[in-house]
Structure formats: C-alpha cells, structure tokens
Amino acid sequence: LWGKNPLKLFFFSRHVRCLMFFSLFLGLTCLSGFFHMKNKNYSISKSHEELLIPPMLCRAKTNVMFLKTHKTASSTVLNIMFRFAERYNLTVALPADQLFHLGYPRTFRAQFVEGFEAIGQNYNIMCNHLRFDPLEVKKVMAANTFYFSILRNPIPLLESSYIYYKNNVPAFRNSKNVNEFLASPTKYYHPADYRESIYARNIMWFDFGYDNNAEDDTEYTQAVLEEIEQNFHLILIADYFDESMILLKHALCWDLDDVIYFKLNSRSQDTVQTLTPESEEHVKAWCSLDWKLYLHFNQSFWRRIEETIGLEVLKKEVDHLRTRQKELMETCLSEQEAVRKDHIRNKALLPFQSGAANILGYNLKQDLDNRTLRTCQKMVMPELQYTSYLYAVQHPHKRRKEVGLPLLWTSHQEK
C-alpha cells in the first residue's frame, strides 16, 4: 500500500525521522543530568525563536591552575579552590615538606610540589603562592588545564603591601608611613635587596614571572601583556570581586555555591593609611608596569563580561551571589561579620598576622549540627590551616605542616 502511495510514504518517513530526532534529543537531555552541567546560554531571550534554540551545555572544569598574586583577595580565591577540590575529591598540588608556598619568591619548579615524582602530571588543582613559569607548571598540570589569575588596582595594593610587609621590607621599615615612602621611593628602595624589595614595587609583574625592576619600555610591556594573554584563559579583577566570581563561575561551568565565599585575610579599617592625591600619582609612576598590567586586563575583563554574560545578567547573578552569601553568614557566623584577631574565640581559626595589619577572622555559631559546622569551618578557615589540613589528608604518611596553632580536627576526623 505504501509503495503505491509515495506521498504517504514521504510523510510517514518524515514523521519517523522527527520522532527519532526528538527521542535522541530527549535522551541526551536526560543523560546530561548525570554530569555536572549547566546552561551556557547567557543572553536573555527576547523572541520566541530564541526560546526554541536548545541551550548549549558545558561540563565543569576540574583541572584548574590559579596564579595566586599578592594582596589581591587571592586568599579568598584559594579557599574557594580548596573547597571545590574537596567537594569533588580532586588532587591539589601542594607545597612540599613544611613550606606553605611553592618555592616563592624563587621561580617555580615542578619539584616544589609534594609528591611530584610519584604523581607526575595528575594534579587537578594548583593555587598556592608561586612565581609563574609556564613550562614548569605544565609539567605538573594536565594539558587541558584552565589557567586564571587576579589583579588589583596598584594604588590600594601598594598601601596594603606597605602595611602587611612593614616589618619585612627594608624600604617600608625605614620609612615613617606610606606617603613618606612614595614621596621618594628610591631613597628607601634598593633593587639589590632581592627577596625583601619585591613587595615594594610591581609585585604583580613579579608574580607573573617578570622583572619588577625592568625599564618601562612600550615594546617590552606589550610583549609581556601578549604573553600573559597566551598563558592565561582569564584574568579577574579584585576591585570587582563579586563580578569576578560570576565570570569565573561561567568560565569554569561551576555552580553558584562553588564560588560563594567569606572574605578572608582582610584587615581592620584602622590600619588603613590614606594616600594623598600626590601619592596615588606616584604609585602609577613607581609601579608603572603593574599599572599597565592592571589597565590592560581591567579592559579585557569588562569586554569578556559583555561578550559572554552581559551586564544585565551579571547584575542579577551578583545579586543572587550576595543573597546566598548573606544566608550562609546568617547560618554560620555569630557576629555576621569578621572580627579583630583578639576577638576570635577559636584560636585554630586565627589568621596569620603580619606587619602592622590586624588580620580579621570569624566566630562560628555554637549550636550548629556537625555537617553544617564542617561546612562553615571550611568557609572561614585561614590559608595556612587549610593548606596544612589538605596536606595531612593527601599525604597522611608525611609530617603535618606546623601552623603553630591548635588543630581544628584530629587525625581520625580528617577524611
């Protein structure tokens, strides 16, 4: 019958093909639920036709290298990375032996990572302080690793460095305050003081692996900026931290709770020194390499947002992040905010104190159930304690890194 009626045969075949394609699409959609995936369609659909377009799916990136720069809110990012690694049972490239950084300020070498000889290129996460060397990092991280870092406006960064490293950097130690230093930096700063002086000039440039005392030559700086663009998939901006977390969430295809944070390693407001307008201009000249670095990637940051997320969607997602953050603070914290070091009740959660800064920490509520308490503890855990804890979990036969503070968990609680 069908052979005698080609028109009916055509419509029947077309109907079968449609059913097959629909079944295939439905199956793939269901299958995607088994993976850590999410909608990658960032634009707000404004037409019926756009609503009919199937959303693109992405898979969460689990091989990630974060270049932890100094005084750029990077300790908060490190906490996010550590929690993600634990949540998905990932391996972190941790500093060997008793160190808490990966050889810094020496240029990074693969052997600075604990267990590199045995584990090889099978680490998922790298995020402790190091001075970047792309060839050496690639020996440790997989070929499909996502590389990102974070920058901060050099003006507040220099003031923050001054307070934090006041006792360590001769150029800072020998000047009365940050404005006096900036009025005549060459009077106090000596490039020969290699290890001590790096924090006083172009520290971000140094962290990326370049000479922080190099001449600010246009051809040279442009070449460096292009090289950083080639080595890193994304550069975030600390001055727009919440916006950075949303951009990171999309770039890595992570969930909102993966980038929720409590601000860590911040200091009390009474230790902040106000820069004069003249000092601010002096920073731009004194740290001109960092200034160019910041201006360049601040532009690319906002361009990336406009090209992928859009400002309207960004605002909504930032609002969601802040709402979720507030919920967690109400759940976890007794004071709903960070407190001064002398007000932290549990000394196991006391942050490392440096220079003239008073580094703030948190007090947790007393009546939390065990699961909630563990989640809250990890959100407020300072960098040194978290590094020591992860090291004990990943390398149980090695001597635990000593923080000089009470242990939050005993050894039998660590898994």
Side-chain angles (χ1 to χ4, degrees):
L1 178 63
W2 293 110
K4 295 180 181 180
N5 194 331
L7 188 61
K8 288 184 177 181
L9 180 61
F10 170 77
F11 282 114
F12 175 75
S13 301
R14 184 180 179 185
H15 180 67
V16 170
R17 285 197 302 272
C18 289
L19 284 174
M20 289 174 63
F21 280 122
F22 177 75
S23 300
L24 179 61
F25 174 74
L26 186 62
L28 289 173
T29 302
C30 294
L31 184 62
S32 69
F34 290 99
F35 299 100
H36 184 72
M37 294 182 172
K38 71 178 188 60
N39 194 330
K40 196 72 173 179
N41 183 14
Y42 303 130
S43 62
I44 300 176
S45 299
K46 296 181 180 179
S47 67
H48 179 66
E49 289 77 17
E50 285 179 317
L51 289 171
L52 294 176
I53 299 174
M56 295 174 61
L57 298 174
C58 67
R59 185 178 301 229
K61 291 178 173 61
T62 54
N63 292 328
V64 184
M65 190 276 168
F66 170 58
L67 176 59
K68 188 179 188 296
T69 49
H70 285 78
K71 313 313 300 170
T72 58
S74 60
S75 292
T76 302
V77 179
L78 176 135
N79 181 273
I80 288 170
M81 301 296 292
F82 277 175
R83 285 187 284 116
F84 184 85
E86 282 204 274
R87 188 173 300 143
Y88 297 102
N89 197 29
L90 304 176
T91 303
V92 183
L94 294 168
D97 302 322
Q98 291 297 301
L99 294 177
F100 288 89
H101 52 73
L102 292 162
Y104 196 89
R106 289 180 293 167
T107 302
F108 175 75
R109 293 291 177 264
Q111 59 264 30
F112 295 162
V113 175
E114 184 65 70
F116 169 70
E117 289 78 6
I119 298 175
Q121 206 176 16
N122 293 314
Y123 295 91
N124 303 112
I125 302 293
M126 176 184 279
C127 55
N128 288 82
H129 273 307
L130 61 83
R131 190 181 184 207
F132 191 66
D133 182 308
L135 296 180
E136 288 293 317
V137 171
K138 286 176 182 177
K139 293 179 182 178
V140 178
M141 303 302 292
N144 66 344
T145 295
F146 184 93
Y147 289 78
F148 80 101
S149 188
I150 188 166
L151 300 174
R152 183 185 182 187
N153 186 323
I155 296 172
L157 186 150
L158 192 282
E159 186 275 334
S160 178
S161 294
Y162 186 92
I163 300 301
Y164 196 82
Y165 299 109
K166 176 69 173 173
N167 299 335
N168 305 103
V169 178
F172 294 161
R173 190 169 57 239
N174 298 331
S175 55
K176 187 165 56 178
N177 55 53
V178 66
N179 289 304
E180 181 180 273
F181 167 73
L182 287 169
S184 182
T186 55
K187 176 181 176 181
Y188 305 100
Y189 178 88
H190 304 290
D193 299 333
Y194 169 70
R195 288 177 178 270
E196 292 83 5
S197 63
I198 53 176
Y199 303 103
R201 189 181 194 191
N202 295 313
I203 180 60
M204 295 187 294
W205 198 265
F206 182 87
D207 287 349
F208 275 87
Y210 303 101
D211 181 4
N212 62 316
N213 292 306
E215 184 180 348
D216 186 356
D217 173 79
T218 302
E219 186 175 342
Y220 164 71
T221 55
Q222 187 58 36
V224 168
L225 295 175
E226 291 176 2
E227 191 168 78
I228 293 174
E229 285 183 334
Q230 292 172 3
N231 289 330
F232 290 85
H233 299 95
L234 179 65
I235 303 293
L236 304 177
I237 301 296
D239 310 82
Y240 306 99
F241 194 80
D242 287 348
E243 291 83 356
S244 289
M245 290 304 98
I246 298 303
L247 186 56
L248 182 67
K249 176 179 81 77
H250 281 281
L252 296 178
C253 196
W254 288 7
D255 291 330
L256 182 65
D257 272 6
D258 293 329
V259 297
I260 291 292
Y261 69 92
F262 295 161
K263 190 176 182 180
L264 299 179
N265 207 37
S266 60
R267 59 193 163 115
S268 58
Q269 199 61 31
D270 62 338
T271 65
V272 177
Q273 294 185 8
T274 302
L275 294 176
T276 65
E278 293 79 13
S279 290
E280 293 187 356
E281 292 304 313
H282 288 157
V283 173
K284 296 178 186 178
W286 174 243
C287 298
S288 62
L289 298 175
D290 269 4
W291 184 247
K292 287 188 175 181
L293 183 68
Y294 175 76
L295 290 180
H296 178 85
F297 285 103
N298 185 46
Q299 288 182 345
S300 67
F301 172 80
W302 291 106
R303 186 165 60 247
R304 179 79 167 261
I305 286 176
E306 290 174 356
E307 292 173 353
T308 57
I309 307 173
L311 294 176
E312 188 174 353
V313 174
L314 175 71
K315 184 179 183 304
K316 291 181 179 179
E317 295 207 28
V318 165
D319 288 342
H320 291 156
L321 183 145
R322 290 172 179 169
T323 299
R324 179 66 177 136
Q325 182 187 55
K326 185 178 179 183
E327 290 173 356
L328 283 171
M329 294 186 84
E330 290 173 350
T331 298
C332 295
L333 307 180
S334 56
E335 286 92 355
Q336 306 297 298
E337 62 181 3
V339 299
R340 295 173 63 92
K341 61 183 179 182
D342 48 337
H343 293 157
I344 298 172
R345 292 191 295 267
N346 186 345
K347 298 309 176 186
L349 295 175
L350 181 70
F352 175 73
Q353 303 293 318
S354 178
N358 187 321
I359 307 300
L360 306 176
Y362 294 94
N363 286 320
L364 300 178
K365 288 184 175 178
Q366 301 295 310
D367 56 348
L368 301 174
D369 63 81
N370 287 339
R371 184 175 179 180
T372 304
L373 175 63
R374 198 63 173 262
T375 299
C376 295
Q377 285 174 332
K378 290 181 179 179
M379 289 200 68
V380 303
M381 190 179 293
E383 177 179 337
L384 301 189
Q385 288 91 316
Y386 213 151
T387 299
S388 175
Y389 160 69
L390 279 185
Y391 186 85
V393 172
Q394 285 192 187
H395 307 285
H397 303 298
K398 295 277 187 176
R399 183 165 69 95
R400 184 168 184 158
K401 295 180 187 292
E402 296 179 5
V403 184
L405 293 168
L407 295 179
L408 190 60
W409 300 302
T410 57
S411 58
H412 71 274
Q413 294 176 300
E414 288 177 343
K415 290 187 177 180

